[in-house]
Amino acid sequence: MKTKKLIATVIASVLAIATLAGCGSTSKEIKFGTNAEFPPFEFIAANGTIGEYDGIDIAIAKKIGEDIGQTAVIENMEFDSLLVALQNGQIDAVIAGMTVTEERAESVDFSTPYYQATQVIITKEGSGITSAADLADKFTAVVQGYTGETCIIELGYKYESFKKGTECIMELVNSKCDAVVIDSATAAKYVADNEGLVIVEDSEAFGNEEYAIAVQKGNTELLNKINKSIEKMLSDGTIADLGDKYCGQ
Ligand code: ARG
């Protein structure tokens, strides 16, 4: 009798544990890698959307998590490390204002694009720089590994690479360089925050770029789920609203 009761108790507790474990697995985490040095897409904030992280991408990541029934968590790292971390399986996806390029698409798969951007020039008011060609005899700061760096390399002009956008802006503010080439929305943020800087556009020199989420090559299961979520957010206006909210119009 006693043994039977004991067995029943053991079975009951095993079942309880199994149920708890089952619960845990439905609230599984999806790990997004980013580089939180890229306002308005990702930056550190006192009260962020996910922990200390905030921005358009972070809000998108959170919504994707909700849509696919997993908790979105953020792993912040250097921009240059993101694709390697993805390939290693350290993160499940990259959301980092990342431009789709042929080179990157060789090592990872990209989602449906969710944002259109372009490179622009930031310079000081009165610098006389009005086009990309004007950078030929100037000194330009770019961020290492960003598409802005690729652009200046392709143009063949003199440049220096820095780890962060804010470092490039400091160089410019302190007149250590003549210009910064960086993504449009991020440039707008920097110009709004630093007096005396202006944006110069050159749509002939700098083409359109599309931001998308990257997953491991061949991870179609996750890619399909992400695409479904992004397509919903594009069609119901969620992403446009996030743009308005974080770009401060
Ligand atoms: N769009 C550019 C690129 O893909 C810059 C992205 C930088 N993103 C970031 N989270 N730091 O190269």
Side-chain angles (χ1 to χ4, degrees):
M1 264 320 248
K2 236 185 174 177
T3 330
K4 257 193 187 159
K5 209 172 177 186
L6 186 66
I7 290 172
T9 318
V10 168
I11 290 175
S13 47
V14 165
L15 280 178
I17 290 166
T19 317
L20 279 179
C23 248
S25 71
T26 54
S27 63
K28 221 180 101 194
E29 287 182 345
I30 172 163
K31 261 191 216 158
F32 284 97
T34 198
N35 167 254
E37 295 284 350
F38 197 62
F41 294 93
E42 40 267 338
F43 51 93
I44 310 266
N47 271 312
T49 301
I50 300 179
E52 54 177 335
Y53 303 108
D54 207 4
I56 297 171
D57 284 347
I58 308 301
I60 291 176
K62 189 171 180 182
K63 288 225 156 64
I64 290 175
E66 286 164 6
D67 281 350
I68 71 178
Q70 299 185 0
T71 310
V73 295
I74 298 294
E75 283 232 14
N76 190 24
M77 61 187 80
E78 284 189 4
F79 188 75
D80 266 353
S81 310
L82 285 166
L83 294 189
V84 179
L86 180 61
Q87 284 171 301
N88 289 343
Q90 189 187 329
I91 49 178
D92 301 303
V94 170
I95 186 157
M98 184 173 273
T99 304
V100 179
T101 68
E102 268 176 34
E103 200 195 332
R104 290 171 180 164
E106 278 171 18
S107 56
V108 295
D109 285 341
F110 280 108
S111 70
T112 301
Y114 60 89
Y115 200 87
Q116 292 258 6
T118 185
Q119 298 300 307
V120 297
I121 300 163
I122 308 177
T123 187
K124 275 192 169 170
E125 257 166 35
S127 72
I129 294 170
T130 59
S131 70
D134 289 336
L135 301 178
D137 55 354
K138 302 277 196 240
F139 194 59
T140 302
V142 291
V143 185
Q144 194 181 309
Y146 283 20
T147 41
E149 185 185 52
T150 318
C151 285
I152 200 84
I153 291 173
E154 276 169 8
L155 287 166
Y157 301 157
K158 229 182 356 168
Y159 74 97
E160 194 178 337
S161 304
F162 295 85
K163 287 254 177 226
K164 301 175 180 183
T166 48
E167 290 174 39
C168 295
I169 296 301
M170 279 305 109
E171 291 286 300
L172 181 60
V173 166
N174 296 325
S175 302
K176 292 191 179 148
C177 70
D178 306 292
V180 174
V181 172
I182 198 160
D183 302 56
S184 38
T186 305
K189 271 277 177 227
Y190 289 147
V191 167
D193 291 349
N194 292 274
E195 238 171 89
L197 302 185
V198 290
I199 288 179
V200 175
E201 291 173 14
D202 187 338
S203 55
E204 266 172 42
F206 305 123
N208 264 344
E209 296 188 14
E210 290 185 320
Y211 295 170
I213 294 171
V215 300
Q216 264 186 359
K217 236 191 181 357
N219 190 354
T220 40
E221 196 191 332
L222 180 58
L223 192 65
N224 289 341
K225 288 185 193 165
I226 289 177
N227 280 343
K228 217 172 132 196
S229 176
I230 287 183
E231 281 152 26
K232 193 187 91 196
M233 285 189 255
L234 284 171
S235 62
D236 71 7
T238 301
I239 292 182
D241 288 349
L242 287 173
D244 288 347
K245 176 177 169 195
Y246 285 101
C247 296
Q249 285 149 310

